[in-house]
Amino acid sequence: MKIRDWLFSKKKQREKPEVIWLEETTSTNDEIRKLMPSNSQRMSVVVADYQRSGRGQAANRWESEAGKNLLFSIMTHPLMVPVRNQFLLSMAGGLALKEVLDGYTTEITLKWPNDVYWRDRKISGTLIETTLSAGHIKDCIFGIGLNVNQQVFKSDAPNPVSLAQISGHEIDRKKLLEELLSAFDKYYSWIENGQYGDISALYHEALYHRHGFYPYRDVASGEVFDAAIIEVEDDGTLVVRNREGVIREYRFKELESLKSSPQPS
């Protein structure tokens, strides 16, 4: 392991987080557990130019060319958040990404549960891992992959896109990271202050396929049906309504969004 840069702060509250920047690692989520002892900092960050075993949701892998993108993990200790409200952390992280990316381009949305889209293409994904204690969240790690300057994607991922492809020029990754951490601090402070309603409202406004009916596939049964999003509950449950007016609820990986134009309601 080579440490290229190490920034730190002695104060826990509302100071710049401790940031360790690595040339290479297996996974920033794994690395932050080793480098950052639990409950040591309000917010700690590990960044890597390259991940040998970067992963996404379930068994998915995250493709990233070395030195081109942002691959980083943020560790927090949101003991104030009950387990039943844990998806608010995902909402806050998504809003931070959207706020910063909105400064570079338009048409950024948040795709349930943990992706960021530009139009119909995926620019960022987040893997969230938590440690629970007494009905609350002791540790929360946000593992974020953001496509920044990569121009060619070779994996079988169906729809990747990078910020450079959208904007037509390369982006300063360090500056972008600073902006992201500042935005993350902002929305995490909302969590600390109990502003759950504000976070949920903004998240729902930013949802991909928020308005109209779109085709979905029930992963368990294989059924394909049109539905409109009603809400995402604080525990992460997606609530949709089909054309017959039947309300259906889905957890992570239980419902797949299919490509299509919006249908009349």
Side-chain angles (χ1 to χ4, degrees):
M1 179 186 72
K2 296 180 179 179
I3 298 180
R4 196 184 72 184
D5 197 5
W6 188 334
L7 308 175
F8 64 92
S9 169
K10 293 182 179 179
K11 295 183 179 180
K12 289 184 180 181
Q13 296 297 326
R14 307 314 303 272
E15 295 285 348
K16 288 185 177 181
E18 182 177 3
V19 180
I20 294 178
W21 197 309
L22 310 173
E23 288 185 357
E24 182 177 324
T25 186
T26 53
S27 159
T28 56
N29 272 24
D30 295 340
E31 202 68 57
I32 204 167
R33 287 193 191 90
K34 293 188 295 184
L35 294 176
M36 306 296 189
S38 182
N39 296 321
S40 62
Q41 297 283 336
R42 174 176 176 270
M43 188 183 302
S44 303
V45 184
V46 168
V47 193
D49 283 334
Y50 180 69
Q51 289 184 133
R52 296 188 298 276
S53 304
R55 61 190 190 274
Q57 294 290 339
N60 298 336
R61 296 290 300 274
W62 184 265
E63 177 193 0
S64 182
E65 185 179 347
K68 291 293 184 178
N69 303 316
L70 279 177
L71 309 170
F72 62 104
S73 293
I74 302 173
M75 176 183 279
T76 62
H77 312 287
L79 285 167
M80 76 296 293
V81 179
V83 173
R84 65 180 181 276
N85 300 120
Q86 62 184 314
F87 194 72
L88 285 160
L89 292 161
S90 179
M91 292 181 183
L95 288 171
L97 285 160
K98 174 175 167 53
E99 179 173 298
V100 173
L101 292 175
D102 281 344
Y104 289 84
T105 186
T106 59
E107 299 182 77
I108 295 292
T109 57
L110 304 179
K111 183 175 180 290
W112 177 87
N114 294 316
D115 292 336
V116 181
Y117 266 44
W118 174 74
R119 297 181 181 175
D120 290 320
R121 302 177 69 182
K122 182 174 176 177
I123 191 171
S124 178
T126 300
L127 174 65
I128 296 179
E129 298 177 315
T130 57
T131 302
L132 307 181
S133 176
H136 290 260
I137 302 170
K138 180 183 177 185
D139 303 315
C140 181
I141 298 175
F142 300 77
I144 299 167
L146 173 60
N147 297 329
V148 182
N149 291 323
Q150 187 161 336
Q151 294 289 349
V152 178
F153 294 89
K154 299 179 180 179
S155 76
D156 58 359
N159 60 344
V161 69
S162 71
L163 199 50
Q165 288 176 323
I166 297 168
S167 65
H169 59 83
E170 288 207 347
I171 306 298
D172 184 330
R173 290 186 303 141
K174 283 191 173 182
K175 177 177 179 291
L176 181 60
L177 178 64
E178 290 176 359
E179 293 169 345
L180 289 167
L181 295 181
S182 177
F184 189 93
D185 181 84
K186 167 187 168 180
Y187 287 104
Y188 187 68
S189 71
W190 286 19
I191 292 282
E192 292 174 317
N193 295 333
Q195 296 174 248
Y196 295 175
D198 295 334
I199 291 171
S200 180
L202 285 178
Y203 176 83
H204 281 85
E205 288 178 13
L207 270 175
Y208 176 74
H209 287 178
R210 178 67 182 97
H211 302 287
F213 282 81
Y214 291 85
Y216 294 90
R217 184 176 70 88
D218 185 303
V219 173
S221 68
E223 176 193 2
V224 174
F225 62 97
D226 289 343
I229 294 175
I230 296 177
E231 67 171 337
V232 178
E233 297 178 349
D234 290 352
D235 67 353
T237 300
L238 176 67
V239 183
V240 300
R241 173 174 58 87
N242 68 14
R243 289 191 177 277
E244 290 71 43
V246 177
I247 304 300
R248 304 169 74 156
E249 298 183 353
Y250 290 92
R251 299 288 295 166
F252 302 162
K253 295 298 180 181
E254 293 180 349
L255 188 68
E256 179 184 0
S257 175
L258 304 177
K259 287 186 177 181
S260 176
S261 299
Q263 303 298 314
S265 54

